């Protein structure tokens, strides 16, 4: 069974009171890319995952996890 | 990157998604209508035919350039970078893959069709290129519009 990548980006963004557009600007991508990551449509590269983790001030493994390894 | 650049890139991304879909459909529709005309070899291949073929080549090249570069060539590097972020590049890669499979399907179909209804090489090539470019554009536009939904 293929593993799925899950994330807590929407929750962490909400915690910081950021809009998708503001987070997108912080990490240098478009708002639609943030939207697709939050909806588990797009699996981000390691670079973007690290940038997102840094932007929301969380370790990357708390922001992203595989379906068989819930945090 | 300034907020105005970010907003400009967002606006251009939305416009590109709409334009890709519409132009992909228009490109295919106009070629389909031109194929229903008598072949130039059967009529007088005058300036009209040459102009039509030249217009098709120019249009195909422009659409391919928009697809491959992402457009926004006259914008700043920051705006272009935002318009071609990794989400867009992933969509482009999948769209080009769709175009490749569409061209293969068109080639096989034309080969079979040719067994029953002879088709000229130029018509066959034009059809394959048209279907490949249109399929890639429509696919790219659809993925971009879906990604923009709710964003």
């Amino acid at each position: 069974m293929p593993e799925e990548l899950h994330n807590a980006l929407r929750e962490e963004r909400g915690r910081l009171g950021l809009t998708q557009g503001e987070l997108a600007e912080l990490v240098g991508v478009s708002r639609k890319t943030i939207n697709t990551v939050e909806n588990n449509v797009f699996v981000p590269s390691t670079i973007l995952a690290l940038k997102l983790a840094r932007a929301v001030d969380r370790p990357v493994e708390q922001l992203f996890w595989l379906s068989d390894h819930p945090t | 990157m300034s907020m105005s650049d970010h907003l400009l890139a967002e606006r251009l991304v939305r416009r590109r998604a709409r334009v890709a879909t519409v132009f992909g459909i228009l490109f295919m529709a106009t070629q389909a209508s031109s194929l229903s005309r008598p072949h130039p070899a059967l009529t007088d291949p005058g300036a009209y035919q040459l102009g039509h073929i030249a217009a098709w080549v120019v249009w195909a090249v422009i659409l391919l350039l928009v697809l491959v570069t992402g457009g926004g060539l006259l914008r700043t590097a920051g705006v272009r970078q935002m318009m071609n972020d990794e989400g867009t590049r992933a969509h482009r890669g999948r769209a080009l893959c769709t175009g490749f499979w569409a061209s293969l399907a068109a080639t096989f179909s034309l080969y079979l069709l040719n067994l029953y209804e002879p088709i000229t090489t130029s018509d066959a090539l034009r059809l394959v290129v048209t279907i490949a470019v249109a399929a890639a554009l429509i696919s790219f536009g659809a993925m971009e519009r879906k990604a923009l939904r709710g964003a």
Side-chain angles (χ1 to χ4, degrees):
Chain A
M1 194 175 118
E3 290 164 325
E4 268 185 57
L5 185 71
H6 297 273
N7 69 79
L9 190 57
R10 194 187 303 274
E11 292 77 12
E12 292 298 331
R13 181 173 60 78
R15 181 179 61 81
L16 294 171
L18 292 170
T19 64
Q20 285 184 339
E22 287 165 344
L23 180 60
E25 197 188 354
L26 277 176
V27 296
V29 296
S30 63
R31 192 164 42 163
K32 77 179 161 54
T33 295
I34 298 294
N35 188 49
T36 52
V37 172
E38 285 186 355
N39 292 323
N40 293 319
V41 174
F42 175 60
V43 176
S45 67
T46 311
I47 292 173
L48 180 56
L50 289 167
K51 281 182 177 178
L52 287 168
R54 190 168 57 191
V56 297
D57 196 24
R58 281 280 182 266
V60 73
E61 62 270 25
Q62 279 186 21
L63 195 59
F64 294 95
W65 65 90
L66 293 171
S67 50
D68 58 340
H69 293 290
T71 56
Chain B
M1 174 184 271
S2 69
M3 191 63 190
S4 61
D5 275 358
H6 186 79
L7 291 174
L8 175 63
E10 289 289 338
R11 206 164 54 239
L12 292 173
V13 162
R14 284 182 187 277
R15 188 190 301 167
R16 181 181 60 191
R18 285 194 302 268
V19 165
T21 308
V22 171
F23 276 24
I25 293 167
L26 275 179
F27 187 54
M28 193 126 75
T30 52
Q31 294 313 306
S33 67
S34 75
L35 283 172
S36 62
R37 294 194 188 102
H39 187 266
L42 304 173
T43 60
D44 180 23
Y48 173 79
Q49 290 292 348
L50 289 175
H52 192 82
I53 291 167
W56 171 77
V57 170
V58 169
W59 202 9
V61 169
I62 289 172
L63 291 179
L64 268 178
L65 278 176
V66 168
L67 181 65
V68 173
T69 65
L73 296 175
L74 301 176
R75 306 294 177 178
T76 62
V79 172
R80 282 203 311 276
Q81 187 185 344
M82 183 76 72
M83 288 176 70
N84 292 294
D85 66 350
E86 68 175 66
T88 304
R89 291 198 300 273
H91 287 164
R92 182 179 299 134
R94 283 165 59 190
L96 290 173
C97 188
T98 302
F100 168 76
W101 284 111
S103 69
L104 277 187
T107 305
F108 281 123
S109 304
L110 288 170
Y111 179 77
L112 291 175
L113 179 69
N114 189 54
L115 298 175
Y116 303 98
E117 180 74 31
I119 184 166
T120 63
T121 309
S122 63
D123 270 354
L125 290 174
R126 193 147 59 97
L127 263 174
V128 169
V129 172
T130 299
I131 289 171
V133 171
L137 266 178
I138 292 168
S139 163
F140 179 73
M143 283 186 281
E144 288 280 287
R145 281 185 295 111
K146 187 178 174 191
L148 283 164
R149 235 172 270 151

